[in-house]
Amino acid sequence: MSSGLICLSIACPTAEAALSAALGRNADLVEIRFDAMSAAERDALCERLSTHPELKVIATFRPQEQGGHQNLSIEERLRFWRRSGPQFAMCDIEEDIFDTVSVLPHRILSHHEFNRIPAGVEHTFRRLAAKDPDMVK
């Protein structure tokens, strides 16, 4: 039997609050919702994470229509992912920009259905898996 991992999800408005929430927790991974922060706070947190290699971070940066906290343009999202990466253990990226940010480490390809249980889940999974992510979610 394999052992599971514990992942703590954090959505804080400031770098200080997010880092404080992440440090000292008994979690294997920490998902940080960068979409809950302003651009300045995102930059500050990315910089501070480089001094905490013990934190295994899953970075998430979703637009509101995909469950995120802000109305983000594709350009904003691409800018974030192109400037980020090495400090993250995994990058949780939505399907609409996945192919554009192929240089990131350990990419999780996300697909979200919030209003219904979709028909053809197997087809959706095969379509996503064909893009060769490290993980499909």
Side-chain angles (χ1 to χ4, degrees):
M1 186 159 136
S2 66
S3 62
L5 298 175
I6 295 174
C7 180
L8 173 68
S9 185
I10 297 170
C12 297
T14 67
E16 185 65 36
L19 195 56
S20 177
L23 291 172
R25 304 294 185 211
N26 193 16
D28 301 294
L29 298 163
V30 178
E31 176 194 27
I32 297 180
R33 297 292 307 268
F34 285 88
D35 50 88
M37 300 176 188
S38 69
E41 292 296 330
R42 289 190 294 269
D43 290 346
L45 183 55
C46 285
E47 186 175 316
R48 296 204 46 207
L49 284 173
S50 65
T51 65
H52 292 282
E54 74 278 11
L55 288 177
K56 303 300 181 221
V57 174
I58 299 174
T60 303
F61 191 55
R62 283 189 201 122
Q64 199 165 34
E65 68 270 11
Q66 295 187 47
H69 294 271
Q70 297 181 47
N71 186 15
L72 300 166
S73 69
I74 287 179
E75 292 77 23
E76 287 174 287
R77 293 164 56 213
L78 290 174
R79 192 175 319 115
F80 171 79
W81 289 119
R82 288 177 179 148
R83 293 181 60 208
S84 307
Q87 68 270 41
F88 304 139
M90 297 179 186
C91 300
D92 187 343
I93 307 162
E94 284 63 46
E95 183 179 12
D96 63 334
I97 63 168
F98 185 81
D99 294 328
T100 310
V101 288
S102 59
V103 298
L104 294 170
H106 307 289
R107 296 179 307 153
I108 300 168
L109 176 51
S110 289
H111 178 83
H112 305 99
E113 295 280 347
F114 296 108
N115 299 320
R116 63 185 173 91
I117 297 174
V121 171
E122 298 84 8
H123 172 74
T124 300
F125 177 80
R126 283 193 299 275
R127 183 184 78 240
L128 298 175
K131 293 179 176 271
D132 198 32
D134 295 292
M135 186 182 303
V136 172
K137 179 180 104 178

